[in-house]
Amino acid sequence: DTICAAGSKLTERHTFFPPFLNSSVARTKTLVHISELSKLHSAKRVVSDETFRDLCDSIESTGIYLYTPIYDSVNPRMPLPLRYECRQFPRASGYVEDPATGIAAAALACSLRKHNQRDFETNNDIVPHHEHTNSYDRFEFYQGTAMGRPSKITIRFVENKDQHCDNTTAVKRTTTRMLCSGLVEIGLQKNIMI
């Protein structure tokens, strides 16, 4: 109910990605596509801490990560290349919302990259593609905006291709590294724990 109350609904241009998806690079987050930026910013966790924790437990998740593509202000139908506005509601962290969540952003980047590559191989028409974006190797996630504590998390994927030869066969291998960096606005605090 909480997720539905946030206004999650796939739009026709985003039918390539499921409306809800559990994904993980460290701890499982439930990724939820929100159709409009205004709905994303107005989303609220409307249940008690205990009820929200039980909801997350029932779907084996450590939090709900809402996201929507950021669109070009000149052409509102054109998404900017791989930029998303996000919000993260943790399962039970002692606070309602998190201004920056690297593991959730990384999980979303991996899922978007995986689904876009798979769908691109089968049907180019269903993948939202920006003419200046040739791959899904760099994502920008903006979080904390709705709570007045903006952050920017950048996820990059770097592929290394090599070939190993032994006496009888040549083996081609591709390894992918994921790099995460970010900027977080920190409020006035006497003690900051990192």
Side-chain angles (χ1 to χ4, degrees):
D1 292 344
T2 303
I3 296 168
C4 293
S8 176
K9 181 179 177 186
L10 282 177
T11 58
E12 288 180 13
R13 65 178 170 253
H14 290 94
T15 56
F16 71 97
F17 199 70
F20 308 100
L21 174 71
N22 274 5
S23 183
S24 175
V25 296
R27 291 185 300 275
T28 302
K29 298 294 180 186
T30 301
L31 311 176
V32 181
H33 176 268
I34 302 296
S35 61
E36 297 173 21
L37 191 58
S38 62
K39 289 180 181 179
L40 177 79
H41 287 301
S42 65
K44 293 184 178 12
R45 198 187 84 183
V46 296
V47 296
S48 69
D49 291 347
E50 184 177 298
T51 302
F52 190 75
R53 185 190 66 235
D54 292 346
L55 167 70
C56 288
D57 289 348
S58 73
I59 57 175
E60 299 178 0
S61 177
T62 63
I64 307 297
Y65 200 57
L66 310 178
Y67 70 97
T68 192
I70 298 174
Y71 289 91
D72 189 333
S73 60
V74 175
N75 183 358
R77 293 180 168 250
M78 178 64 69
L80 291 170
L82 309 174
R83 292 183 187 161
Y84 295 84
E85 185 76 28
C86 305
R87 295 184 68 190
Q88 209 276 131
F89 299 95
R91 173 191 167 274
S93 297
Y95 47 87
V96 173
E97 186 170 354
D98 203 350
T101 317
I103 62 168
L108 178 55
C110 288
S111 294
L112 289 168
R113 187 171 191 261
K114 177 182 176 182
H115 284 272
N116 282 322
Q117 287 178 339
R118 184 186 67 210
D119 290 339
F120 190 78
E121 291 169 4
T122 57
N123 183 354
N124 295 5
D125 298 333
I126 63 175
V127 178
H129 183 73
H130 192 281
E131 60 187 286
H132 303 296
T133 304
N134 296 322
S135 66
Y136 293 88
D137 292 333
R138 181 186 168 100
F139 295 84
E140 291 178 0
F141 301 101
Y142 298 88
Q143 190 177 328
T145 308
M147 58 188 299
R149 295 182 57 200
S151 67
K152 174 184 172 187
I153 302 166
T154 302
I155 305 291
R156 289 188 309 121
F157 295 92
V158 179
E159 286 191 355
N160 297 315
K161 297 182 180 186
D162 62 8
Q163 186 169 334
H164 172 73
C165 297
D166 61 22
N167 293 337
T168 57
T169 59
V171 178
K172 293 181 181 180
R173 181 178 65 179
T174 301
T175 57
T176 303
R177 289 184 308 142
M178 180 177 58
L179 307 171
C180 178
S181 62
L183 299 169
V184 179
E185 184 175 299
I186 299 175
L188 295 174
Q189 293 183 7
K190 290 183 180 179
N191 298 314
I192 297 174
M193 299 186 66
I194 299 178

